Amino acid sequence: MSKRPFAYLGAAAIVAIVIIFIDNPFGNRVDDASFDYFVPGFDVHNIQRFDVEQMIDGSQVRRSDDVKWEAAEKTTALKENLLKNEKRQKPQAAWKEADTSRVLGALGSFGGLSKGILVSTNPEKRHIYQVGPTGLHVIAFDKSDEIVLNVIIGKGGPDFMSTYVRPFDKNEVYLVNRNLTGIFSPRSSDWLKREHIEIKEALKEESK
């Protein structure tokens, strides 16, 4: 059996290694990677309430006691302006019991989350990562009403297992190694306990 194919394969491997060391195509990503926590000391049990906004949609979720949570629609600034232009009143928040497992699961996604890779500091590039005005704004408060989380969640990363995230008051955009898309919803109905959703659907059917 000829050994020539193995010799070619070995030579190709050596060339590839040399190219990697010379060009170092992964150098910037590795150098910019951070293993610091995105939210240092983040603890789900310290969260008292949080708001989620995206364009005209908004939801607010808060603790009703030590175990249960409740959710209601939140009128965003954009929606409030639309209501004023249409001469309509701002609706009152109608609080209903939330799905505790969904709430804790969403908040828990920031527990132990590292900053990941810094991909941009240019405000003009925010639209590329969807962390500008169209991004999903999540802000959470602790029991002392202090802000512990304030971020814009953008689009998913190229590997479908990561997400672009920007601290609300900063220019840095990070690619974090966790899929956060679809976890926080700006629609209050998505946070409700299943029985409330079923009642709402039943009422819709009766009104037809």
Side-chain angles (χ1 to χ4, degrees):
M1 183 176 178
S2 175
K3 296 183 179 180
R4 186 171 296 175
F6 295 100
Y8 289 152
L9 182 61
I14 293 173
V15 170
I17 292 172
V18 170
I19 291 174
I20 288 175
F21 273 103
I22 294 174
D23 292 341
N24 195 16
F26 307 108
N28 290 337
R29 282 182 170 270
V30 173
D31 291 342
D32 292 339
S34 173
F35 297 100
D36 294 335
Y37 288 132
F38 198 90
V39 185
F42 184 84
D43 186 352
V44 172
H45 299 94
N46 289 334
I47 304 298
Q48 182 66 24
R49 62 184 180 90
F50 63 93
D51 299 340
V52 186
E53 297 185 13
Q54 187 170 39
M55 306 297 287
I56 65 171
D57 294 322
S59 61
Q60 49 188 334
V61 185
R62 69 186 184 188
R63 289 184 184 273
S64 56
D65 56 34
D66 291 338
V67 179
K68 295 181 180 180
W69 294 74
E70 56 186 5
E73 180 181 352
K74 178 179 174 61
T75 304
T76 64
L78 182 58
K79 187 170 184 178
E80 189 168 357
N81 287 333
L82 290 174
L83 292 173
K84 286 181 180 179
N85 292 335
E86 296 173 358
K87 297 182 180 180
R88 291 193 293 163
Q89 294 293 322
K90 178 180 176 180
Q92 294 292 324
W95 293 93
K96 295 179 182 178
E97 187 175 356
D99 183 342
T100 300
S101 60
R102 160 107 198 232
V103 172
L104 296 180
L107 291 174
S109 63
F110 278 94
L113 178 65
S114 63
K115 283 185 176 180
I117 301 169
L118 177 65
V119 297
S120 176
T121 58
N122 187 349
E124 296 181 358
K125 292 185 177 181
R126 289 178 183 176
H127 67 283
I128 297 175
Y129 310 104
Q130 297 178 11
V131 291
T134 61
L136 189 74
H137 184 195
V138 179
I139 180 170
F141 303 82
D142 63 14
K143 297 177 181 179
S144 300
D145 213 34
E146 296 290 332
I147 296 176
V148 294
L149 175 69
N150 193 5
V151 298
I152 301 292
I153 298 175
K155 68 178 184 179
D159 59 356
F160 304 105
M161 295 299 292
S162 54
T163 315
Y164 295 102
V165 184
R166 177 177 65 87
F168 182 76
D169 56 350
K170 296 182 180 180
N171 291 325
E172 289 83 359
V173 179
Y174 295 93
L175 180 63
V176 300
N177 189 27
R178 194 170 292 175
N179 187 359
L180 302 176
T181 57
I183 293 179
F184 288 88
S185 175
R187 292 179 292 275
S188 60
S189 59
D190 290 339
W191 295 103
L192 298 182
K193 199 171 181 179
R194 185 63 198 174
E195 62 187 52
H196 293 297
I197 299 174
E198 291 172 350
I199 292 172
K200 187 175 181 179
E201 291 176 348
L203 291 173
K204 282 184 178 180
E205 289 295 325
E206 291 178 1
S207 63
K208 290 183 179 179

